[in-house]
Every structure is written in C-alpha cells, then in structure tokens.
Amino acid sequence: MTYLNEQNISRSTADVEYHPLIPFLPKNAKVLFLGSFPPQRKRWCMDFYYPNFINDHWRIEGQIFFNDRNYFVDSDNKRFKIDEIIAFCQDKGIAFYDTASAVRRLQDNASDKYLEVVQSTDIHALLSQLPTCRAIVTTGEKATETICQHMHIQQSSKVNSHVHIPNARNAQGQQIILYRLPSSSRAYPLAFDKKVASYQQMYEMLGML
C-alpha cells in the first residue's frame, strides 16, 4: 500500500507545495500526531511520516515500546523499516498527518520558521474518522500555532502541557486534548532520553503503555 498523495503531487507548483502524503488514520487511533509539513523530498528515506533519517521520532518510539532505539532503523541502508512502522502504528492506534495541507517554502530548507501556511488542514474532518481519538499531539511551534488558530484554542506554548480542544469529543464522549511534546528533530536542544521520557509520559496518560 502506498501513502503517497499522487493527486496532490501532480498539483504542486514552483510556489505552492501540496501535501505529498495521504492521512494515516487507523480506526483504533487514540492519538493523532500533527506536524507542520513534511520536509523536502530530497530528505526522505521512506514514503511515510517523519521520513528524515536524522529525525529521531522513530527512534523514540522504538525506545519506548521495545526498549531499543534502533528497533525501526535499517542502519546498513540508512532507512527506517516502513513495514514494521506501519504495522506498529496500526496495532497501537497512532495516526499521522499535518496541520498544513499546502505551504510555500520561503527558504530552501526544512525549517518551520520559513514555512508559509497556504491552506490549513480540516482537523475536524480528520477527527470524524477517528472515533476513539483522545489526543492531538504537536511537536513544534509552527504546528501548535496553526492548530490553535484553526480550532480557536487558547495557545499554550509550554512543552509537556495539554489543553482541552473546544467542541471536540470522540464517539465515547471523551474530551479531546491538544498535547504539546518536544520536537524529535535533533535541532531541538533536548537530550534524547529526556525526549523519550516526555513521549512516554504522554502515552502513559492515554493508557497506551
């Protein structure tokens, strides 16, 4: 199965980039990770979320759930093990997309600082497909800012904090929260073990460990 959004790739122009992936939304998802926007294609090592090999998201997940930071890492080929990642996310109920579905890059790099959001994602439409979702997780300032503007949330910039999302409940009537975690990018100045502890605390709160 491919998760590439071929229709949107064909619509890309020199100025505007449309999201290159389709939303990954397991029906059993309890958590929805929303980033800002994928990095440039030249930085990918797989056709899935968090595709940059030097981003530690999948190393954090490996450490938390399998006590092995390299569980999802194909070190010889400098890739992530996409089949294992997809199976893991489907089993645990972890969904992915981004807060922007179209952007302009104001500079030729992957920095959120230089992303201009052209079209915000319809997050309520995503949540409507996730009946057991309990939390949206953001891991960066741009994604947090975008979702707060889109969903009329009084923004809290404090990492490792969460707020209730107005008028957002799952099929069981549970209030959905917005949870802010530290970025898994190595550019974010926090030790790997402390990032692992933050993510683990979130998963424990949601009863996923």
Side-chain angles (χ1 to χ4, degrees), residues 56-74:
D56 282 330
H57 181 92
W58 298 113
R59 295 178 181 87
I60 292 170
E61 302 280 11
Q63 185 64 40
I64 292 172
F65 287 93
F66 302 98
N67 198 32
D68 179 2
R69 64 183 292 167
N70 291 317
Y71 186 85
F72 295 116
V73 178
D74 179 354

Side-chain angles (χ1 to χ4, degrees), residues 9-58:
I9 287 175
S10 68
R11 292 169 58 198
S12 296
T13 70
D15 294 323
V16 178
E17 287 184 45
Y18 292 86
H19 206 293
L21 296 166
I22 62 173
F24 179 78
L25 305 174
K27 291 296 183 183
N28 64 332
K30 291 183 179 179
V31 59
L32 169 61
F33 277 88
L34 290 178
S36 53
F37 198 78
Q40 295 152 301
R41 193 70 169 84
K42 64 185 179 182
R43 301 179 186 274
W44 293 22
C45 74
M46 65 173 179
D47 294 337
F48 198 63
Y49 293 88
Y50 295 96
N52 191 333
F53 191 68
I54 62 171
N55 187 293
D56 282 330
H57 181 92
W58 298 113

Side-chain angles (χ1 to χ4, degrees), residues 123-141:
I123 298 168
H124 282 293
L126 297 181
L127 291 175
S128 71
Q129 301 177 66
L130 300 173
T132 62
C133 186
R134 296 188 56 201
I136 292 175
V137 172
T138 57
T139 61
E141 185 174 352

